[in-house]
Amino acid sequence: MDNTKLKGRMSGKVQELQQPAGNQTITVTSAPETSLAQVDSTYLALTNNALDIIRANLKSQPLTLDLFDLVKSPSGGATVFEVPGLAGTEAAMELSGIILDYTTPRAYWDTPDPVEGTPPVCMSQNSIISHDGKACAHCPYNDFGSKDGESNAKACKESVLLFLLRPNSIIPLLVRVPVTSKPRFLKYSTRLLSTLTPISSVVTKITLEKATSKQGKPYALFNFQTVSTLSPEEAAQAKAFGQQFMEIVNAAQMVPELAQAS
């Protein structure tokens, strides 16, 4: 395979990245402290003093992402989720819950097949600015075709990370949505936005369907569907809980952990 042109183009762009992009920085704003009143709900986190319990049990330790249960896209086009549980991994045809928040991280590894759990060489929490203050739009690894010079894939891996609150847990389940399904999630969230519906005010069902790439490789596509709308009291409680919970998570300075090889 002749990658001369690809390497030349990427080498030129890498040189452009020696200077940070303007004065852009990543900032995290704290959500205002909100008093959480108990409401009648099937969600454990919305009917108890969950935040007080979380803070008490942490004992000043950071709530880092490696402590969360994580669900990833299954390989080989499988349409069943593997969900970590107290008795081990369980199979689930669907995931349902309240999406408290989400991030759109991206990450780059300098090896084509990194070992699972390996931190990336470069990453971004929002797919706009890298962890060291450079603009992702100017990065050569964000170009289509930068992965191998043959396909249209990018070398920098994009995804969506959902914080999915389920009825029987006060800690959200992390759901990693791959780049192939990122447009579907963004379209779903935009449809909610078009009716002034916060994503945290509905119960979302996530399912999988089998698809095949242009290269003939099977993979799983994510589907997102609203199955019910929270009552005004539940919606307000979910919003307040989500804001304060994410304050705890952001305080752990978990940005470098947002993307790991998987």
Side-chain angles (χ1 to χ4, degrees):
M1 177 178 62
D2 184 6
N3 286 335
T4 303
K5 292 184 178 179
L6 174 64
K7 290 181 178 179
R9 176 169 59 88
M10 293 178 67
S11 176
K13 282 203 170 186
V14 167
Q15 292 179 8
E16 296 175 7
L17 294 178
Q18 297 305 311
Q19 298 295 327
N23 295 321
Q24 293 174 296
T25 57
I26 299 175
T27 58
V28 177
T29 56
S30 297
E33 191 72 19
T34 305
S35 177
L36 301 185
Q38 292 188 9
V39 298
D40 183 15
S41 175
T42 58
Y43 281 81
L44 188 64
L46 307 185
T47 58
N48 294 270
N49 56 336
L51 290 169
D52 291 337
I53 294 173
I54 292 172
R55 294 188 180 101
N57 282 15
L58 284 176
K59 296 187 182 299
S60 301
Q61 297 301 307
L63 185 59
T64 54
L65 289 190
D66 60 316
L67 300 178
F68 287 68
D69 286 329
L70 173 67
V71 173
K72 300 176 291 186
S73 177
S75 59
T79 56
V80 178
F81 292 106
E82 293 184 358
V83 184
L86 292 176
T89 302
E90 303 172 353
M93 295 299 297
E94 62 183 51
L95 300 173
S96 293
I98 303 169
I99 299 176
L100 294 178
D101 202 352
Y102 67 91
T103 62
T104 54
R106 66 188 317 149
Y108 168 72
W109 289 265
D110 55 4
T111 177
D113 296 303
V115 177
E116 184 171 351
T118 302
V121 174
C122 181
M123 67 86 55
S124 169
Q125 183 182 15
N126 55 16
S127 291
I128 299 174
I129 301 296
S130 68
H131 69 284
D132 55 356
K134 297 182 175 66
C136 294
H138 298 160
C139 180
Y141 302 117
N142 185 38
D143 287 349
F144 289 104
S146 58
K147 182 176 181 180
D148 51 25
E150 292 182 332
S151 68
N152 201 38
K154 297 180 179 182
C156 189
K157 186 178 180 181
E158 300 176 55
S159 64
V160 179
L161 195 63
L162 309 180
F163 290 78
L164 184 71
L165 183 67
R166 295 176 293 169
N168 60 348
S169 177
I170 65 173
I171 300 294
L173 178 70
L174 293 185
V175 181
R176 189 183 298 280
V177 180
V179 64
T180 49
S181 295
K182 183 177 179 179
R184 287 191 170 198
F185 172 74
L186 295 179
K187 181 173 287 188
Y188 171 68
S189 62
T190 302
R191 284 173 178 163
L192 290 172
L193 175 64
S194 69
T195 58
L196 296 178
T197 305
I199 198 169
S200 63
S201 69
V202 299
V203 175
T204 299
K205 180 173 72 173
I206 308 173
T207 56
L208 298 167
E209 67 175 271
K210 190 173 183 178
T212 305
S213 69
K214 293 181 179 179
Q215 291 74 33
K217 295 182 179 180
Y219 66 98
L221 274 174
F222 283 56
N223 290 316
F224 304 91
Q225 178 184 358
T226 297
V227 293
S228 64
T229 301
L230 301 181
S231 68
E233 294 78 16
E234 278 186 302
Q237 184 80 331
K239 178 181 178 180
F241 176 83
Q243 287 177 333
Q244 294 190 38
F245 181 84
M246 291 309 296
E247 270 195 339
I248 296 173
V249 174
N250 288 332
Q253 297 180 344
M254 51 64 165
V255 173
E257 301 175 48
L258 277 171
Q260 290 191 355
S262 60

